[in-house]
Every structure is written in C-alpha cells, then in structure tokens.
Amino acid sequence: MTLRLDGASWQRWVAVAAFGATAANFASIAASHALLGVGLLLLLLKPSKIRFPRIIWPVLALMLWTLVSVAASDEPVAALPQIKKFFVFALLPLIYTAFRSTDACRRAAEAWFVVVLGACLLASLQFVQAAVKAGALDGGFYRLYVDDRVTGFYSHWMTFSQASVIVLLALACHILFSERRRCSGIWIGSAAIITAALVLSFTRSAWLALLAGGGYLLAIRRPRALLAVPVLLVAAYLAAPDALQQRVRSIRPGENQARIVMWRTGLAMIADSPLVGIGPERAGPLFSRYQPEDVRQLPPGFYGHLHNVYIHYAAERGIPAALIVIWLFGQVLLDLRRGLMALPDRPDDRRFLLHAGVCATLAIAILSGFDVSLGDSEVLGAYLAVLAVAYRGIPGGHSAAAGKR
C-alpha cells in the first residue's frame, strides 16, 4: 500500500510535524524526536519540495568533518552518539520547508513561548521546594542548591537555562518588533516569569548570554540606555540575596579551577592532533593522558567533556571543526544583518524573526564558551528552530532548494 498525499495535504502534515517537534523539544525530547522522524519521512516522500536555509552549508561542513574525525579516531565506534545527533539537524529543512510564511513562523514561536513558560513555572516551584528542603536540613542553601538546581521539564539545569534563554530572547524580540501586539501584556508577564526562573537557575553562562542579547536589543532600541546598565547591574547585585551574590562572585577564575584544568587539557589534545582531533567522544576517556603534569589532583567537576565548544570540538574533531562553528555563527549574523537592512523600519514579524536569530546566535556563542551547548540535543534543537524561522524572515529568502523555489 502506497501513501499518496496531494501537495496541500503533504504541506499541512509537514507543518503539523514541524510544529509538534519544535514545541515538544522544550518539554520532551522523546516526543520531539518522534515527531521529527515523522516529519523527515514526509519530506522524503517529496524530496523535490524540500527547502534548506543558506546556513545549511556550514552545517553540512561540520557533519562532514566530524565523519573525517571519526575515520581517524582510535575508537570510531565511540563516536556513534555524535553520528546519531546528526538527526537533530533535520530540524533545519523540516522547519524551513514547513513554515513558508512569517505568520506560520510567528505562531510556532508563540507555542515555544507557552511551553517554556510552563517549564519556568515548574522551575519556580522546584526552587521553593529546594529552599524548604535546605531549611529543613539546616544547611547552607547555596552549597546544597548549586549541586541540585531547577530543571523545569528537562533532566539538567544547564539544558533548562540554555534553552530558556534562547526562547526568552526570542520572546523579547516578539514584544519589541512584532506587528501583532494584541497580547503584549501577556507576553511581557511571561517574559518576566521566564527571566525570574533564569535568575533562580543560578546558571552564570545563561546570565551572561541574556546580558549580551539584552544589550544587543537595548543598543537597537535605546542605545543611550546602555550607559545605565552597569549602574543597574551593581544595584541589582547589592540588592540581591546572599546566595545570588555568592553565585555572581563565583565567576572569578580562582573559583573555577576545574574548567581551567579542562581547557588546558583540551589545548594539549589540540596540540597532539590539530587537524582531525583525538576523535569524537574521546575527550573524557583520554582526559588523564593529556592532563597537565602540574595538576596532581583534579578539582571537583565533571570531566566527561571540556566545557567549551570551541576547545572541545578542536580537541575531538580538529581545529577545522571549531573554525566551522565560528563560520556558522558568523554566517548567520551576516545573513540576518543583511536581511534587517532590507526591511522598512517599522513593526514587522520579519523583523522580529531576524532579531530573534541574531539574539539566539549571540547567546549560543557565549554559552559555547562555558559548555558544550551544541552537544545538547534540546539546546541544539532550540537554536536550529530559531535559525530556521529567522531565515524565513529574510526578504526574498536565502535558501538552497532540492528543486526550484
């Protein structure tokens, strides 16, 4: 029995799969990947209709160089998790093919806002429970909490905070630039709740990413207000509870010796194999081989990866992989900047989508300096989803098609 769909039915079902896969990405990775699989099968039914945003080229280059690194690895089978992660990149053609109008992109983004709002409400409840538990144990809240923080719908606080900051910045762009502002009060309230949950996550890299994205938006809308930011940050710090002040102070290098050891070890790996790296998924197992000689006892921390995309990818896949990641970020910023320059200076859903793509890229570039953010399927999925709709906002389209546009 052959499944036959006319063009309109096929397009509708592809849109349903894309909508479900992206919304579920912020709540259930299993559901998201199941719907992504359905969407991918639908795309394969009509390959001539598949559309790719222009950013597909650095993505394909990263996948290809990863395969080169796998071939050169001493344990190629160990790289299987990274090969399987190629599946997540199917979100790019699925979303870009499914959502052909800015209205469809906006509706999908609004669904993401709602799901992440739910995750942040749950995270706030988790924070209250953690505070009560710390009080019951009569222990220091900070010490107990930093090792078991809020996660929302996710399995780890880093995933929660990184995905949430990407969506929060997209929501801010919606509030500032979208042409449909009927529910602006609701969205502003949602943004406040998500921001509060991010503060309660105690995730420093997410705070820095939010600061960068917020600074970009402020520079666009109120550039003079940037002068007040340092004063406001100092005032917020002084007014914050002691636990938050402790978390801010912990950004100092002296309090992050584990990451410094990881980065030094990564540089040794790069020096040993600069072209193809030591192999995907090999940084953890081979860590002790490259550990600095002056480090006899490792500081407390997780040493399964190197907590920096640029160093980690260069160590495991070679310097070209890290350069491709930088190419990806740079290409996105260049394309979206050109798109923004081509738009009239007025509220427009396309302007919202393009600014959301810029903010997401600034955020992920900063997050990548402190974690292997692109290696987290939920975070990668969130970033790819924002990129796909952002490229739909470019006037005239920036796409590579399997057939004619």
Side-chain angles (χ1 to χ4, degrees), residues 344-363:
D345 188 14
R346 64 170 186 268
D348 189 312
D349 281 347
R350 293 174 297 175
R351 186 170 289 278
F352 142 55
L353 296 172
L354 291 169
H355 280 302
V358 172
C359 283
T361 301
L362 292 175

Side-chain angles (χ1 to χ4, degrees), residues 148-173:
D148 188 18
R149 286 173 260 164
V150 298
T151 59
F153 296 141
Y154 304 95
S155 60
H156 197 277
W157 55 82
M158 291 295 289
T159 304
F160 163 72
S161 58
Q162 291 181 13
S164 295
V165 76
I166 290 172
V167 172
L168 174 59
L169 289 170
L171 175 53
C173 293

Side-chain angles (χ1 to χ4, degrees), residues 239 248 339 361 377 395:
V248 172
T361 301
S377 293

Side-chain angles (χ1 to χ4, degrees), residues 295-357:
V295 178
R296 297 181 179 179
Q297 183 174 356
L298 292 175
F302 175 71
Y303 291 86
H305 59 72
L306 303 177
H307 287 271
N308 182 299
V309 163
Y310 314 105
I311 295 176
H312 184 86
Y313 275 31
E316 288 200 338
R317 311 182 195 194
I319 293 174
L323 294 177
I324 291 170
V325 170
I326 295 171
W327 169 25
L328 169 66
F329 296 158
Q331 187 68 58
V332 170
L333 294 176
L334 179 62
D335 289 344
L336 300 188
R337 178 61 182 167
R338 287 173 174 170
L340 285 165
M341 292 177 66
L343 287 175
D345 188 14
R346 64 170 186 268
D348 189 312
D349 281 347
R350 293 174 297 175
R351 186 170 289 278
F352 142 55
L353 296 172
L354 291 169
H355 280 302

Side-chain angles (χ1 to χ4, degrees), residues 111-132:
W112 309 340
F113 304 155
V114 172
V115 178
V116 171
L117 174 62
C120 289
L121 288 171
L122 176 59
S124 300
L125 177 60
Q126 292 170 341
F127 181 83
V128 172
Q129 292 173 332
V132 171

Side-chain angles (χ1 to χ4, degrees), residues 2-14:
T2 304
L3 177 63
R4 296 185 181 277
L5 294 172
D6 60 37
S9 297
W10 178 85
Q11 185 67 41
R12 182 168 58 253
W13 283 111
V14 168

